[in-house]
Amino acid sequence: MASSSNLYIAETPKEVSSAKGLHLITQNTPNGQATQIILEELHDLYGTEWGTTLINISTNEQKKEWFLRLNPNGRIPTLVDNSQSPPFPVIETSAQILYLVKFYDKDDVFGFKDELERNEALQWMFFWHGGGAPYQGQVNHFTRAAPEKIPYAINRYKNETLRVYGVLEIRLSGIYTGGPRDYLAGKGKGKYSVADIKTWPWIKGWERSGFTAEDMKPFPHLLKWIDRIAARPAVQRGIGEKYVQ
């Protein structure tokens, strides 16, 4: 485990190195939003406080030494818990969400006490972390950022993302399990949890990824799930003005 003398250098922003508790270094992207949302939810539930540093990843701030000491992967968001001794950095949104639930959600409102339900939530988090976000990220890259429009790449990643949406539709429709679900994990219709928080920020941006209403027609339960989660005040704050530079 790194000591604070290894974590922080002169170039580290003072609001990061001198933070008393949780501090989030982020930008308002789908990955940033997942951790922003869980923090906002914990604030509404327990009054949890944290500091925020907004950076602009297009300037490569996240590749500077001060950032790499906290997150060798050079990606946002990065969470640091200065209430731990020594301060404890957490990389990867899925790990951050699980860390926050473990240490700051004493009643497991966004997690599960039942080990089978907990495992179910992990399954859907891992499914999106490894099998959804990377594909939709590539759609965004090849349709918007790539200097050359490569039809093969665009079609491959669009089709794979739609396939993944189809998996989530099977889950939420309950077509094979006897009835529709409101959320990805938990008994019965499920419970709003870490699994939804991890997945939602990406899927809510389907239009921005270039999908049409026609593309989304096969996923009525997924579209209702997007709206259901969007209705939460903490979710709206977690993607809102507070995190826009």
Side-chain angles (χ1 to χ4, degrees), residues 212-223:
T212 65
E214 193 63 29
D215 290 329
M216 298 300 288
K217 256 192 185 156
F219 316 122
H221 295 86
L222 186 62
L223 290 170

Side-chain angles (χ1 to χ4, degrees), residues 54-72:
L54 299 179
I55 66 169
N56 182 349
I57 56 175
S58 67
T59 66
N60 272 343
E61 186 70 24
Q62 73 281 14
K63 305 302 181 189
K64 292 181 179 174
E65 184 190 340
W66 76 264
F67 192 100
L68 294 174
R69 281 174 176 262
L70 300 172
N71 183 344

